[in-house]
Amino acid sequence: MFLTEVLDRNSVAGPVSANSKRNALQIVADVAERTLGAYGLEADAILQGLLEREKLSSTGVGQGVAVPHAALPGLTRMHGVFIRLETPVSYEAIDDVPVDLIFALFAPEEAGSEHLRALAKVSRILRQKELREQLRQVDTADALYALLNRTETSHAA
């Protein structure tokens, strides 16, 4: 049930166009503001949280996937954002493969191990080659959302 708990339909976008890693993270922040705005968080603050984390090391986990994340003030639960880029961008990923699938996680500042477990789960789900290929084939945010939900449902059984 995890993905469906953190990811709502308004938090999925794609395919979208970005020309750099920073631009892709800006799009993530803009999409995140749709739901995190209820907590008083604006895109600029969300982007700053993501960029601060990227300074530590790239969140490009390989195979065209990135899992950027940030702990943000005021959140009471985990939130996710998923975007698919039209064209992959250089992301300084661990395998040097450009990124086109981005699943961002936003956690309360005091989330601790819950945040780490969520990151591990998202990474595990997006390691599935078949899912990555399917996400790259669809051309609407609704289809992306449905695929992510279907994946979560099939893992619950």
mmCIF file of all heavy atoms in Angstrom, residues 2-3 6 53-54 58-69 78 80-82 91 94-95 101-105 114-132 135-136 148 151-152 155:
data_model
loop_
_atom_site.group_PDB
_atom_site.id
_atom_site.type_symbol
_atom_site.label_atom_id
_atom_site.label_comp_id
_atom_site.label_asym_id
_atom_site.label_seq_id
_atom_site.Cartn_x
_atom_site.Cartn_y
_atom_site.Cartn_z
ATOM 1 N N PHE A 2 2.128 1.164 0.097
ATOM 2 C CA PHE A 2 2.966 2.341 0.292
ATOM 3 C C PHE A 2 2.831 3.406 -0.795
ATOM 4 O O PHE A 2 2.612 4.569 -0.494
ATOM 5 C CB PHE A 2 4.432 1.922 0.438
ATOM 6 C CG PHE A 2 5.370 3.081 0.397
ATOM 7 C CD1 PHE A 2 5.507 3.904 1.483
ATOM 8 C CD2 PHE A 2 6.071 3.385 -0.749
ATOM 9 C CE1 PHE A 2 6.346 4.998 1.449
ATOM 10 C CE2 PHE A 2 6.910 4.482 -0.800
ATOM 11 C CZ PHE A 2 7.039 5.279 0.305
ATOM 12 N N LEU A 3 2.978 3.039 -2.060
ATOM 13 C CA LEU A 3 2.943 4.061 -3.110
ATOM 14 C C LEU A 3 1.618 4.791 -3.131
ATOM 15 O O LEU A 3 1.571 6.007 -3.296
ATOM 16 C CB LEU A 3 3.212 3.444 -4.489
ATOM 17 C CG LEU A 3 4.642 3.058 -4.805
ATOM 18 C CD1 LEU A 3 4.747 2.578 -6.238
ATOM 19 C CD2 LEU A 3 5.617 4.162 -4.544
ATOM 20 N N VAL A 6 1.539 7.571 -0.488
ATOM 21 C CA VAL A 6 2.358 8.782 -0.637
ATOM 22 C C VAL A 6 2.157 9.506 -1.962
ATOM 23 O O VAL A 6 2.534 10.657 -2.096
ATOM 24 C CB VAL A 6 3.876 8.489 -0.446
ATOM 25 C CG1 VAL A 6 4.151 7.904 0.913
ATOM 26 C CG2 VAL A 6 4.431 7.618 -1.544
ATOM 27 N N ARG A 53 20.172 18.312 -0.714
ATOM 28 C CA ARG A 53 20.444 16.875 -0.656
ATOM 29 C C ARG A 53 21.361 16.452 -1.791
ATOM 30 O O ARG A 53 22.263 15.640 -1.615
ATOM 31 C CB ARG A 53 19.117 16.093 -0.696
ATOM 32 C CG ARG A 53 19.273 14.582 -0.857
ATOM 33 C CD ARG A 53 20.157 13.972 0.227
ATOM 34 N NE ARG A 53 20.478 12.599 -0.038
ATOM 35 C CZ ARG A 53 21.453 12.164 -0.836
ATOM 36 N NH1 ARG A 53 22.219 13.020 -1.513
ATOM 37 N NH2 ARG A 53 21.686 10.877 -0.969
ATOM 38 N N GLU A 54 21.176 17.007 -2.981
ATOM 39 C CA GLU A 54 22.017 16.655 -4.128
ATOM 40 C C GLU A 54 23.471 17.054 -3.914
ATOM 41 O O GLU A 54 24.362 16.447 -4.497
ATOM 42 C CB GLU A 54 21.477 17.282 -5.415
ATOM 43 C CG GLU A 54 20.198 16.680 -5.928
ATOM 44 C CD GLU A 54 20.292 15.225 -6.325
ATOM 45 O OE1 GLU A 54 21.304 14.794 -6.932
ATOM 46 O OE2 GLU A 54 19.334 14.485 -6.029
ATOM 47 N N SER A 58 24.720 12.506 -5.685
ATOM 48 C CA SER A 58 23.619 12.415 -6.633
ATOM 49 C C SER A 58 22.621 11.348 -6.198
ATOM 50 O O SER A 58 22.997 10.300 -5.669
ATOM 51 C CB SER A 58 24.152 12.069 -8.026
ATOM 52 O OG SER A 58 23.072 11.888 -8.920
ATOM 53 N N THR A 59 21.355 11.620 -6.432
ATOM 54 C CA THR A 59 20.308 10.653 -6.130
ATOM 55 C C THR A 59 19.927 9.846 -7.373
ATOM 56 O O THR A 59 18.910 9.165 -7.379
ATOM 57 C CB THR A 59 19.068 11.357 -5.545
ATOM 58 O OG1 THR A 59 18.625 12.357 -6.467
ATOM 59 C CG2 THR A 59 19.384 11.988 -4.199
ATOM 60 N N GLY A 60 20.763 9.916 -8.404
ATOM 61 C CA GLY A 60 20.583 9.074 -9.585
ATOM 62 C C GLY A 60 21.025 7.665 -9.240
ATOM 63 O O GLY A 60 22.207 7.413 -9.020
ATOM 64 N N VAL A 61 20.054 6.738 -9.161
ATOM 65 C CA VAL A 61 20.344 5.392 -8.663
ATOM 66 C C VAL A 61 20.688 4.399 -9.763
ATOM 67 O O VAL A 61 20.993 3.247 -9.473
ATOM 68 C CB VAL A 61 19.173 4.852 -7.801
ATOM 69 C CG1 VAL A 61 18.980 5.713 -6.563
ATOM 70 C CG2 VAL A 61 17.882 4.771 -8.597
ATOM 71 N N GLY A 62 20.642 4.837 -11.015
ATOM 72 C CA GLY A 62 21.026 3.962 -12.116
ATOM 73 C C GLY A 62 19.845 3.577 -12.985
ATOM 74 O O GLY A 62 18.684 3.723 -12.603
ATOM 75 N N GLN A 63 20.154 3.119 -14.208
ATOM 76 C CA GLN A 63 19.179 2.639 -15.177
ATOM 77 C C GLN A 63 18.159 3.714 -15.563
ATOM 78 O O GLN A 63 17.004 3.414 -15.859
ATOM 79 C CB GLN A 63 18.490 1.377 -14.655
ATOM 80 C CG GLN A 63 19.491 0.281 -14.391
ATOM 81 C CD GLN A 63 18.896 -0.902 -13.651
ATOM 82 O OE1 GLN A 63 18.053 -0.757 -12.772
ATOM 83 N NE2 GLN A 63 19.360 -2.080 -14.013
ATOM 84 N N GLY A 64 18.594 4.971 -15.522
ATOM 85 C CA GLY A 64 17.727 6.067 -15.921
ATOM 86 C C GLY A 64 16.767 6.536 -14.848
ATOM 87 O O GLY A 64 15.825 7.270 -15.132
ATOM 88 N N VAL A 65 17.003 6.124 -13.599
ATOM 89 C CA VAL A 65 16.111 6.428 -12.482
ATOM 90 C C VAL A 65 16.822 7.321 -11.467
ATOM 91 O O VAL A 65 17.991 7.113 -11.150
ATOM 92 C CB VAL A 65 15.646 5.128 -11.785
ATOM 93 C CG1 VAL A 65 14.831 5.420 -10.537
ATOM 94 C CG2 VAL A 65 14.862 4.256 -12.758
ATOM 95 N N ALA A 66 16.079 8.286 -10.932
ATOM 96 C CA ALA A 66 16.561 9.108 -9.820
ATOM 97 C C ALA A 66 15.500 9.104 -8.728
ATOM 98 O O ALA A 66 14.302 9.064 -9.019
ATOM 99 C CB ALA A 66 16.846 10.538 -10.266
ATOM 100 N N VAL A 67 15.967 9.144 -7.490
ATOM 101 C CA VAL A 67 15.070 9.189 -6.334
ATOM 102 C C VAL A 67 15.511 10.344 -5.428
ATOM 103 O O VAL A 67 16.054 10.137 -4.340
ATOM 104 C CB VAL A 67 15.059 7.840 -5.576
ATOM 105 C CG1 VAL A 67 13.991 7.852 -4.482
ATOM 106 C CG2 VAL A 67 14.809 6.670 -6.525
ATOM 107 N N PRO A 68 15.295 11.582 -5.894
ATOM 108 C CA PRO A 68 15.647 12.728 -5.052
ATOM 109 C C PRO A 68 14.725 12.769 -3.832
ATOM 110 O O PRO A 68 13.598 12.264 -3.878
ATOM 111 C CB PRO A 68 15.415 13.928 -5.973
ATOM 112 C CG PRO A 68 14.439 13.454 -6.981
ATOM 113 C CD PRO A 68 14.681 11.980 -7.159
ATOM 114 N N HIS A 69 15.229 13.345 -2.761
ATOM 115 C CA HIS A 69 14.428 13.373 -1.536
ATOM 116 C C HIS A 69 14.878 14.504 -0.637
ATOM 117 O O HIS A 69 15.996 14.994 -0.742
ATOM 118 C CB HIS A 69 14.513 12.026 -0.801
ATOM 119 C CG HIS A 69 15.903 11.523 -0.628
ATOM 120 N ND1 HIS A 69 16.631 11.701 0.515
ATOM 121 C CD2 HIS A 69 16.712 10.844 -1.485
ATOM 122 C CE1 HIS A 69 17.822 11.145 0.363
ATOM 123 N NE2 HIS A 69 17.906 10.626 -0.831
ATOM 124 N N MET A 78 4.781 11.242 4.791
ATOM 125 C CA MET A 78 5.559 11.152 3.557
ATOM 126 C C MET A 78 4.681 11.546 2.362
ATOM 127 O O MET A 78 3.486 11.242 2.337
ATOM 128 C CB MET A 78 6.038 9.716 3.335
ATOM 129 C CG MET A 78 6.932 9.167 4.419
ATOM 130 S SD MET A 78 8.607 9.786 4.337
ATOM 131 C CE MET A 78 9.163 9.071 2.818
ATOM 132 N N GLY A 80 5.025 11.807 -2.139
ATOM 133 C CA GLY A 80 5.834 11.477 -3.302
ATOM 134 C C GLY A 80 5.407 12.259 -4.521
ATOM 135 O O GLY A 80 4.270 12.739 -4.613
ATOM 136 N N VAL A 81 6.347 12.381 -5.462
ATOM 137 C CA VAL A 81 6.097 12.993 -6.767
ATOM 138 C C VAL A 81 6.791 12.109 -7.790
ATOM 139 O O VAL A 81 7.935 11.695 -7.592
ATOM 140 C CB VAL A 81 6.677 14.427 -6.848
ATOM 141 C CG1 VAL A 81 6.710 14.934 -8.284
ATOM 142 C CG2 VAL A 81 5.890 15.376 -5.961
ATOM 143 N N PHE A 82 6.085 11.816 -8.883
ATOM 144 C CA PHE A 82 6.708 11.056 -9.968
ATOM 145 C C PHE A 82 6.588 11.855 -11.245
ATOM 146 O O PHE A 82 5.504 12.346 -11.585
ATOM 147 C CB PHE A 82 6.030 9.691 -10.168
ATOM 148 C CG PHE A 82 6.673 8.896 -11.271
ATOM 149 C CD1 PHE A 82 7.809 8.153 -11.024
ATOM 150 C CD2 PHE A 82 6.165 8.940 -12.557
ATOM 151 C CE1 PHE A 82 8.435 7.450 -12.056
ATOM 152 C CE2 PHE A 82 6.782 8.248 -13.594
ATOM 153 C CZ PHE A 82 7.917 7.490 -13.333
ATOM 154 N N TYR A 91 22.483 13.433 -15.096
ATOM 155 C CA TYR A 91 22.076 13.546 -13.698
ATOM 156 C C TYR A 91 23.185 13.153 -12.720
ATOM 157 O O TYR A 91 22.981 13.082 -11.538
ATOM 158 C CB TYR A 91 20.842 12.652 -13.479
ATOM 159 C CG TYR A 91 19.996 13.030 -12.292
ATOM 160 C CD1 TYR A 91 18.916 13.881 -12.424
ATOM 161 C CD2 TYR A 91 20.271 12.514 -11.028
ATOM 162 C CE1 TYR A 91 18.128 14.221 -11.342
ATOM 163 C CE2 TYR A 91 19.480 12.855 -9.928
ATOM 164 C CZ TYR A 91 18.422 13.698 -10.091
ATOM 165 O OH TYR A 91 17.647 14.039 -9.020
ATOM 166 N N ILE A 94 24.887 7.055 -10.637
ATOM 167 C CA ILE A 94 25.986 6.152 -10.290
ATOM 168 C C ILE A 94 26.493 5.363 -11.492
ATOM 169 O O ILE A 94 27.654 4.982 -11.526
ATOM 170 C CB ILE A 94 25.607 5.192 -9.143
ATOM 171 C CG1 ILE A 94 24.387 4.349 -9.505
ATOM 172 C CG2 ILE A 94 25.355 5.952 -7.861
ATOM 173 C CD1 ILE A 94 24.096 3.238 -8.516
ATOM 174 N N ASP A 95 25.639 5.141 -12.502
ATOM 175 C CA ASP A 95 26.065 4.417 -13.701
ATOM 176 C C ASP A 95 26.282 5.355 -14.894
ATOM 177 O O ASP A 95 26.511 4.888 -16.006
ATOM 178 C CB ASP A 95 25.053 3.326 -14.049
ATOM 179 C CG ASP A 95 23.661 3.876 -14.351
ATOM 180 O OD1 ASP A 95 23.458 5.111 -14.241
ATOM 181 O OD2 ASP A 95 22.771 3.069 -14.672
ATOM 182 N N LEU A 101 13.261 8.940 -15.428
ATOM 183 C CA LEU A 101 12.233 8.554 -14.462
ATOM 184 C C LEU A 101 12.644 9.079 -13.090
ATOM 185 O O LEU A 101 13.700 8.694 -12.578
ATOM 186 C CB LEU A 101 12.068 7.032 -14.415
ATOM 187 C CG LEU A 101 11.712 6.342 -15.725
ATOM 188 C CD1 LEU A 101 11.703 4.827 -15.539
ATOM 189 C CD2 LEU A 101 10.378 6.842 -16.272
ATOM 190 N N ILE A 102 11.823 9.936 -12.519
ATOM 191 C CA ILE A 102 12.172 10.566 -11.242
ATOM 192 C C ILE A 102 11.029 10.366 -10.254
ATOM 193 O O ILE A 102 9.896 10.789 -10.508
ATOM 194 C CB ILE A 102 12.452 12.067 -11.414
ATOM 195 C CG1 ILE A 102 13.602 12.273 -12.412
ATOM 196 C CG2 ILE A 102 12.762 12.713 -10.066
ATOM 197 C CD1 ILE A 102 13.890 13.728 -12.759
ATOM 198 N N PHE A 103 11.343 9.701 -9.151
ATOM 199 C CA PHE A 103 10.375 9.532 -8.064
ATOM 200 C C PHE A 103 10.953 10.246 -6.856
ATOM 201 O O PHE A 103 11.907 9.783 -6.248
ATOM 202 C CB PHE A 103 10.143 8.058 -7.743
ATOM 203 C CG PHE A 103 8.902 7.820 -6.924
ATOM 204 C CD1 PHE A 103 7.860 7.076 -7.429
ATOM 205 C CD2 PHE A 103 8.768 8.355 -5.652
ATOM 206 C CE1 PHE A 103 6.706 6.859 -6.688
ATOM 207 C CE2 PHE A 103 7.626 8.155 -4.900
ATOM 208 C CZ PHE A 103 6.589 7.400 -5.424
ATOM 209 N N ALA A 104 10.402 11.399 -6.520
ATOM 210 C CA ALA A 104 10.888 12.192 -5.390
ATOM 211 C C ALA A 104 10.074 11.879 -4.146
ATOM 212 O O ALA A 104 8.871 11.666 -4.220
ATOM 213 C CB ALA A 104 10.789 13.677 -5.709
ATOM 214 N N LEU A 105 10.762 11.860 -3.015
ATOM 215 C CA LEU A 105 10.104 11.640 -1.729
ATOM 216 C C LEU A 105 10.355 12.825 -0.819
ATOM 217 O O LEU A 105 11.478 13.342 -0.751
ATOM 218 C CB LEU A 105 10.640 10.375 -1.062
ATOM 219 C CG LEU A 105 10.068 9.057 -1.561
ATOM 220 C CD1 LEU A 105 10.841 7.893 -0.965
ATOM 221 C CD2 LEU A 105 8.596 8.942 -1.233
ATOM 222 N N GLU A 114 11.888 5.817 8.841
ATOM 223 C CA GLU A 114 10.749 5.702 7.927
ATOM 224 C C GLU A 114 11.137 6.235 6.548
ATOM 225 O O GLU A 114 10.799 5.652 5.519
ATOM 226 C CB GLU A 114 9.551 6.479 8.487
ATOM 227 C CG GLU A 114 8.351 6.489 7.552
ATOM 228 C CD GLU A 114 7.248 7.453 7.981
ATOM 229 O OE1 GLU A 114 7.438 8.214 8.951
ATOM 230 O OE2 GLU A 114 6.208 7.453 7.314
ATOM 231 N N HIS A 115 11.865 7.329 6.530
ATOM 232 C CA HIS A 115 12.341 7.945 5.289
ATOM 233 C C HIS A 115 13.242 6.968 4.542
ATOM 234 O O HIS A 115 13.097 6.762 3.334
ATOM 235 C CB HIS A 115 13.090 9.233 5.654
ATOM 236 C CG HIS A 115 13.525 10.061 4.498
ATOM 237 N ND1 HIS A 115 13.268 11.403 4.427
ATOM 238 C CD2 HIS A 115 14.206 9.783 3.379
ATOM 239 C CE1 HIS A 115 13.783 11.897 3.309
ATOM 240 N NE2 HIS A 115 14.358 10.918 2.667
ATOM 241 N N LEU A 116 14.154 6.330 5.253
ATOM 242 C CA LEU A 116 15.089 5.384 4.627
ATOM 243 C C LEU A 116 14.364 4.167 4.073
ATOM 244 O O LEU A 116 14.674 3.684 2.980
ATOM 245 C CB LEU A 116 16.164 4.960 5.626
ATOM 246 C CG LEU A 116 17.071 6.085 6.122
ATOM 247 C CD1 LEU A 116 18.031 5.562 7.177
ATOM 248 C CD2 LEU A 116 17.828 6.718 4.971
ATOM 249 N N ARG A 117 13.395 3.658 4.818
ATOM 250 C CA ARG A 117 12.615 2.509 4.329
ATOM 251 C C ARG A 117 11.830 2.881 3.071
ATOM 252 O O ARG A 117 11.723 2.093 2.136
ATOM 253 C CB ARG A 117 11.660 1.999 5.418
ATOM 254 C CG ARG A 117 12.359 1.190 6.502
ATOM 255 C CD ARG A 117 11.378 0.457 7.399
ATOM 256 N NE ARG A 117 10.392 1.324 8.028
ATOM 257 C CZ ARG A 117 10.565 1.968 9.179
ATOM 258 N NH1 ARG A 117 11.703 1.844 9.824
ATOM 259 N NH2 ARG A 117 9.613 2.731 9.680
ATOM 260 N N ALA A 118 11.287 4.085 3.043
ATOM 261 C CA ALA A 118 10.540 4.537 1.872
ATOM 262 C C ALA A 118 11.457 4.646 0.652
ATOM 263 O O ALA A 118 11.090 4.215 -0.451
ATOM 264 C CB ALA A 118 9.877 5.881 2.159
ATOM 265 N N LEU A 119 12.636 5.191 0.841
ATOM 266 C CA LEU A 119 13.598 5.296 -0.265
ATOM 267 C C LEU A 119 13.961 3.914 -0.796
ATOM 268 O O LEU A 119 14.028 3.697 -2.011
ATOM 269 C CB LEU A 119 14.867 6.021 0.193
ATOM 270 C CG LEU A 119 14.738 7.512 0.435
ATOM 271 C CD1 LEU A 119 15.979 8.044 1.143
ATOM 272 C CD2 LEU A 119 14.512 8.240 -0.874
ATOM 273 N N ALA A 120 14.182 2.981 0.096
ATOM 274 C CA ALA A 120 14.540 1.615 -0.306
ATOM 275 C C ALA A 120 13.399 0.978 -1.101
ATOM 276 O O ALA A 120 13.632 0.309 -2.109
ATOM 277 C CB ALA A 120 14.886 0.776 0.920
ATOM 278 N N LYS A 121 12.174 1.188 -0.656
ATOM 279 C CA LYS A 121 11.018 0.597 -1.337
ATOM 280 C C LYS A 121 10.856 1.170 -2.742
ATOM 281 O O LYS A 121 10.640 0.433 -3.703
ATOM 282 C CB LYS A 121 9.744 0.799 -0.534
ATOM 283 C CG LYS A 121 8.545 0.175 -1.211
ATOM 284 C CD LYS A 121 7.541 -0.325 -0.245
ATOM 285 C CE LYS A 121 6.488 -1.117 -0.996
ATOM 286 N NZ LYS A 121 5.622 -1.839 -0.121
ATOM 287 N N VAL A 122 10.955 2.482 -2.868
ATOM 288 C CA VAL A 122 10.828 3.103 -4.186
ATOM 289 C C VAL A 122 11.936 2.592 -5.110
ATOM 290 O O VAL A 122 11.681 2.241 -6.268
ATOM 291 C CB VAL A 122 10.860 4.648 -4.080
ATOM 292 C CG1 VAL A 122 11.031 5.291 -5.448
ATOM 293 C CG2 VAL A 122 9.598 5.155 -3.403
ATOM 294 N N SER A 123 13.155 2.523 -4.612
ATOM 295 C CA SER A 123 14.274 2.033 -5.420
ATOM 296 C C SER A 123 14.033 0.595 -5.867
ATOM 297 O O SER A 123 14.285 0.244 -7.020
ATOM 298 C CB SER A 123 15.582 2.124 -4.635
ATOM 299 O OG SER A 123 15.904 3.465 -4.393
ATOM 300 N N ARG A 124 13.548 -0.235 -4.960
ATOM 301 C CA ARG A 124 13.261 -1.636 -5.283
ATOM 302 C C ARG A 124 12.199 -1.735 -6.379
ATOM 303 O O ARG A 124 12.348 -2.499 -7.336
ATOM 304 C CB ARG A 124 12.756 -2.351 -4.017
ATOM 305 C CG ARG A 124 13.429 -3.643 -3.730
ATOM 306 C CD ARG A 124 12.940 -4.387 -2.498
ATOM 307 N NE ARG A 124 11.960 -3.780 -1.631
ATOM 308 C CZ ARG A 124 12.223 -3.081 -0.539
ATOM 309 N NH1 ARG A 124 13.477 -2.867 -0.183
ATOM 310 N NH2 ARG A 124 11.254 -2.598 0.207
ATOM 311 N N ILE A 125 11.141 -0.965 -6.262
ATOM 312 C CA ILE A 125 10.062 -1.003 -7.255
ATOM 313 C C ILE A 125 10.575 -0.567 -8.625
ATOM 314 O O ILE A 125 10.286 -1.195 -9.645
ATOM 315 C CB ILE A 125 8.872 -0.139 -6.792
ATOM 316 C CG1 ILE A 125 8.180 -0.824 -5.608
ATOM 317 C CG2 ILE A 125 7.896 0.119 -7.930
ATOM 318 C CD1 ILE A 125 7.169 0.053 -4.891
ATOM 319 N N LEU A 126 11.376 0.507 -8.643
ATOM 320 C CA LEU A 126 11.852 1.036 -9.923
ATOM 321 C C LEU A 126 13.040 0.265 -10.493
ATOM 322 O O LEU A 126 13.487 0.553 -11.601
ATOM 323 C CB LEU A 126 12.164 2.523 -9.791
ATOM 324 C CG LEU A 126 10.916 3.390 -9.588
ATOM 325 C CD1 LEU A 126 11.297 4.840 -9.353
ATOM 326 C CD2 LEU A 126 9.964 3.269 -10.765
ATOM 327 N N ARG A 127 13.532 -0.730 -9.774
ATOM 328 C CA ARG A 127 14.570 -1.608 -10.329
ATOM 329 C C ARG A 127 13.982 -2.636 -11.287
ATOM 330 O O ARG A 127 14.713 -3.304 -11.999
ATOM 331 C CB ARG A 127 15.305 -2.348 -9.210
ATOM 332 C CG ARG A 127 16.611 -1.653 -8.855
ATOM 333 C CD ARG A 127 17.358 -2.448 -7.869
ATOM 334 N NE ARG A 127 16.848 -1.981 -6.590
ATOM 335 C CZ ARG A 127 17.121 -2.470 -5.414
ATOM 336 N NH1 ARG A 127 17.907 -3.485 -5.289
ATOM 337 N NH2 ARG A 127 16.604 -1.963 -4.330
ATOM 338 N N GLN A 128 12.672 -2.762 -11.289
ATOM 339 C CA GLN A 128 12.007 -3.731 -12.162
ATOM 340 C C GLN A 128 12.074 -3.255 -13.608
ATOM 341 O O GLN A 128 11.452 -2.258 -13.970
ATOM 342 C CB GLN A 128 10.549 -3.915 -11.742
ATOM 343 C CG GLN A 128 10.373 -4.415 -10.339
ATOM 344 C CD GLN A 128 8.925 -4.306 -9.919
ATOM 345 O OE1 GLN A 128 8.020 -4.672 -10.669
ATOM 346 N NE2 GLN A 128 8.697 -3.798 -8.724
ATOM 347 N N LYS A 129 12.818 -3.987 -14.410
ATOM 348 C CA LYS A 129 13.030 -3.591 -15.807
ATOM 349 C C LYS A 129 11.708 -3.444 -16.557
ATOM 350 O O LYS A 129 11.508 -2.480 -17.289
ATOM 351 C CB LYS A 129 13.917 -4.619 -16.502
ATOM 352 C CG LYS A 129 14.236 -4.253 -17.923
ATOM 353 C CD LYS A 129 15.156 -5.250 -18.579
ATOM 354 C CE LYS A 129 15.464 -4.800 -19.988
ATOM 355 N NZ LYS A 129 16.324 -5.749 -20.682
ATOM 356 N N GLU A 130 10.786 -4.390 -16.371
ATOM 357 C CA GLU A 130 9.509 -4.341 -17.086
ATOM 358 C C GLU A 130 8.724 -3.075 -16.733
ATOM 359 O O GLU A 130 8.162 -2.423 -17.602
ATOM 360 C CB GLU A 130 8.676 -5.578 -16.759
ATOM 361 C CG GLU A 130 7.367 -5.628 -17.516
ATOM 362 C CD GLU A 130 6.565 -6.874 -17.198
ATOM 363 O OE1 GLU A 130 7.147 -7.898 -16.808
ATOM 364 O OE2 GLU A 130 5.334 -6.803 -17.339
ATOM 365 N N LEU A 131 8.705 -2.711 -15.461
ATOM 366 C CA LEU A 131 8.000 -1.499 -15.048
ATOM 367 C C LEU A 131 8.644 -0.269 -15.667
ATOM 368 O O LEU A 131 7.941 0.611 -16.189
ATOM 369 C CB LEU A 131 7.969 -1.366 -13.524
ATOM 370 C CG LEU A 131 7.371 -0.049 -13.007
ATOM 371 C CD1 LEU A 131 5.915 0.108 -13.450
ATOM 372 C CD2 LEU A 131 7.504 0.038 -11.502
ATOM 373 N N ARG A 132 9.975 -0.181 -15.619
ATOM 374 C CA ARG A 132 10.651 0.978 -16.221
ATOM 375 C C ARG A 132 10.296 1.100 -17.694
ATOM 376 O O ARG A 132 10.007 2.182 -18.196
ATOM 377 C CB ARG A 132 12.171 0.878 -16.040
ATOM 378 C CG ARG A 132 12.643 1.089 -14.636
ATOM 379 C CD ARG A 132 14.153 1.267 -14.549
ATOM 380 N NE ARG A 132 14.919 0.357 -15.379
ATOM 381 C CZ ARG A 132 15.331 -0.852 -15.013
ATOM 382 N NH1 ARG A 132 15.042 -1.319 -13.809
ATOM 383 N NH2 ARG A 132 16.043 -1.600 -15.840
ATOM 384 N N LEU A 135 6.710 2.378 -18.031
ATOM 385 C CA LEU A 135 6.621 3.799 -17.694
ATOM 386 C C LEU A 135 7.140 4.663 -18.840
ATOM 387 O O LEU A 135 6.638 5.765 -19.072
ATOM 388 C CB LEU A 135 7.395 4.098 -16.409
ATOM 389 C CG LEU A 135 6.779 3.548 -15.121
ATOM 390 C CD1 LEU A 135 7.781 3.656 -13.969
ATOM 391 C CD2 LEU A 135 5.483 4.279 -14.776
ATOM 392 N N ARG A 136 8.135 4.164 -19.555
ATOM 393 C CA ARG A 136 8.712 4.922 -20.672
ATOM 394 C C ARG A 136 7.844 4.874 -21.927
ATOM 395 O O ARG A 136 8.031 5.680 -22.832
ATOM 396 C CB ARG A 136 10.115 4.403 -20.968
ATOM 397 C CG ARG A 136 11.094 4.779 -19.884
ATOM 398 C CD ARG A 136 12.489 4.218 -20.118
ATOM 399 N NE ARG A 136 13.397 4.777 -19.140
ATOM 400 C CZ ARG A 136 14.179 4.042 -18.336
ATOM 401 N NH1 ARG A 136 14.176 2.728 -18.431
ATOM 402 N NH2 ARG A 136 14.963 4.636 -17.463
ATOM 403 N N LEU A 148 1.903 2.838 -11.795
ATOM 404 C CA LEU A 148 2.502 2.823 -10.453
ATOM 405 C C LEU A 148 1.543 2.200 -9.443
ATOM 406 O O LEU A 148 1.963 1.434 -8.564
ATOM 407 C CB LEU A 148 2.895 4.242 -10.038
ATOM 408 C CG LEU A 148 4.070 4.822 -10.833
ATOM 409 C CD1 LEU A 148 4.179 6.316 -10.618
ATOM 410 C CD2 LEU A 148 5.376 4.120 -10.482
ATOM 411 N N THR A 151 1.394 -1.617 -10.077
ATOM 412 C CA THR A 151 2.601 -2.254 -9.557
ATOM 413 C C THR A 151 2.485 -2.462 -8.065
ATOM 414 O O THR A 151 2.793 -3.522 -7.531
ATOM 415 C CB THR A 151 3.840 -1.384 -9.872
ATOM 416 O OG1 THR A 151 3.946 -1.304 -11.285
ATOM 417 C CG2 THR A 151 5.092 -1.990 -9.309
ATOM 418 N N GLU A 152 2.013 -1.448 -7.369
ATOM 419 C CA GLU A 152 1.872 -1.536 -5.922
ATOM 420 C C GLU A 152 0.861 -2.598 -5.548
ATOM 421 O O GLU A 152 1.072 -3.392 -4.646
ATOM 422 C CB GLU A 152 1.456 -0.180 -5.355
ATOM 423 C CG GLU A 152 1.429 -0.141 -3.860
ATOM 424 C CD GLU A 152 2.778 -0.316 -3.206
ATOM 425 O OE1 GLU A 152 3.815 -0.223 -3.879
ATOM 426 O OE2 GLU A 152 2.806 -0.549 -1.986
ATOM 427 N N HIS A 155 2.188 -6.118 -5.913
ATOM 428 C CA HIS A 155 3.158 -6.481 -4.889
ATOM 429 C C HIS A 155 2.492 -6.763 -3.547
ATOM 430 O O HIS A 155 3.090 -7.351 -2.678
ATOM 431 C CB HIS A 155 4.202 -5.371 -4.713
ATOM 432 C CG HIS A 155 5.281 -5.450 -5.745
ATOM 433 N ND1 HIS A 155 5.044 -5.120 -7.049
ATOM 434 C CD2 HIS A 155 6.560 -5.843 -5.655
ATOM 435 C CE1 HIS A 155 6.162 -5.292 -7.742
ATOM 436 N NE2 HIS A 155 7.079 -5.730 -6.925
#
